[in-house]
Amino acid sequence: RSRGAENSQKEIENKMEAVKMTAEHRTVVRKGLGPLRRGGQLPAILYGVDKKPAPLQLNSREASKTLNRLYGTVLIDLDVNGEKHTSLVREIQRNFVTDEILHVDFLEVAMDRVMRVSIPVRLVGVSAAVNTHGGILVHGLSELEIECLPKDLINEVKVDLAPLQQINDALHVSDAALPGAIRVLTNADELIARVIYASLEEVTTEKPEVVAEVEVAEKGKKEEEEGAEEAPKKGEAKKAEPKKPEPKKAEPKKEQRK
């Protein structure tokens, strides 16, 4: 059995059952969203092809718990007041400080229409080029763009690193095995992973030389400072002693006229 066939089988097993979520129609918009959130409801919207956007609200605690567990591209069976809508999570808006989910966009899909989505690439397994030969694994694409029917959707594509046996071995999009019902739109020559030699900066270290240079520089600086401090002492002129006042010359006494 070929490696490609084995990988294809594993990819088929990656297909997940749709996640179930419950929502109801929402009448509160814009200014009323703050009180709605404080009341424990998560605002959302459902839209799709040839479909008018429908404002929704979900139980914030339950919906956040489900959404935070999702990985990759997953189908959602969204129950809106008893009506089922097969959807994808298109966008999640979060508070950038607390990471709390503030709003969700759901995209409804038609089960009989081909859809175009991006699915994440996950590298699995062990590379001998890395573990045995000390190479560095360089990551390429993190997602692949695909087309398929909703029933054939997988949430991720796993790429095995085992074929990377030697330095400079690489895996490309063409090496990713997916089920036949999925069409890959990403260029087949795009890089997914490659093993390269460790760079000289990583192999050699210049720390001792840098330390030595620093020590020499600091020593020179210290000597220079000490020399600068001593220089005035050596070259300092002796303080001039105060001049002794010269004795005044005795003036000749004037003769008194008789």
Side-chain angles (χ1 to χ4, degrees):
R1 191 177 183 180
S2 67
R3 178 169 55 86
E6 291 177 355
N7 286 343
S8 294
Q9 182 60 34
K10 290 178 182 178
E11 293 301 335
I12 293 172
E13 293 171 358
N14 281 338
K15 287 194 289 188
M16 297 177 58
E17 294 182 0
V19 175
K20 299 183 184 300
M21 298 185 73
T22 303
E24 55 187 24
H25 290 291
R26 169 169 55 91
T27 56
V28 176
V29 294
R30 296 188 180 180
K31 292 184 178 179
L33 293 183
L36 183 74
R37 293 188 182 99
R38 288 192 290 274
Q41 295 296 309
L42 174 65
I45 192 165
L46 173 66
Y47 60 93
V49 180
D50 303 325
K51 182 179 181 65
K52 184 178 179 180
L56 305 175
Q57 62 186 41
L58 302 85
N59 179 283
S60 183
R61 182 176 180 180
E62 295 301 321
S64 296
K65 189 185 300 183
T66 300
L67 293 169
N68 285 329
R69 287 200 306 260
L70 295 183
Y71 172 74
T73 306
V74 182
L75 287 177
I76 306 289
D77 277 346
L78 188 62
D79 186 314
V80 182
N81 295 114
E83 186 178 348
K84 177 183 171 183
H85 299 268
T86 303
S87 313
L88 294 171
V89 175
R90 206 59 174 174
E91 184 180 1
I92 297 178
Q93 297 175 21
R94 296 178 180 270
N95 182 307
F96 71 93
V97 175
T98 65
D99 204 39
E100 175 189 5
I101 298 178
L102 300 177
H103 191 278
V104 185
D105 289 5
F106 292 101
L107 172 64
E108 185 170 7
V109 297
M111 297 303 291
D112 59 346
R113 289 189 183 182
V114 171
M115 61 180 185
R116 178 178 296 186
V117 295
S118 293
I119 57 174
V121 173
R122 184 153 68 96
L123 302 180
V124 298
V126 177
S127 164
V130 174
N131 284 17
T132 305
H133 302 297
I136 301 297
L137 183 66
V138 177
H139 294 252
L141 295 179
S142 59
E143 289 184 335
L144 296 184
E145 188 177 12
I146 64 169
E147 274 186 352
C148 67
L149 290 171
K151 68 180 181 65
D152 298 316
L153 181 65
I154 58 177
N155 71 317
E156 65 176 3
V157 54
K158 295 179 182 178
V159 178
D160 192 1
L161 296 176
L164 301 179
Q165 297 290 319
Q166 303 296 328
I167 303 296
N168 287 328
D169 281 353
L171 293 169
H172 299 85
V173 172
S174 57
D175 297 309
L178 288 90
I182 294 179
R183 180 188 172 202
V184 180
L185 302 178
T186 306
N187 190 313
D189 295 327
E190 290 282 351
L191 180 71
I192 290 180
R194 180 189 297 276
V195 179
I196 63 173
Y197 284 104
S199 62
L200 291 178
E201 289 87 0
E202 294 172 343
V203 175
T204 60
T205 174
E206 297 179 358
K207 286 185 178 179
E209 297 178 9
V210 172
V211 171
E213 290 176 2
V214 171
E215 289 177 352
V216 171
E218 289 181 350
K219 184 178 179 182
K221 183 179 179 182
K222 187 176 180 181
E223 291 176 352
E224 183 179 350
E225 290 174 350
E226 290 176 352
E229 292 176 358
E230 293 175 1
K233 294 179 181 179
K234 292 180 180 179
E236 186 179 2
K238 291 183 179 180
K239 292 183 180 179
E241 296 180 0
K243 292 182 179 180
K244 295 179 180 180
E246 295 180 1
K248 292 182 178 180
K249 293 181 179 180
E251 295 181 358
K253 292 183 179 180
K254 293 181 179 181
E255 293 182 359
Q256 296 180 354
R257 294 181 181 179
K258 292 181 180 180

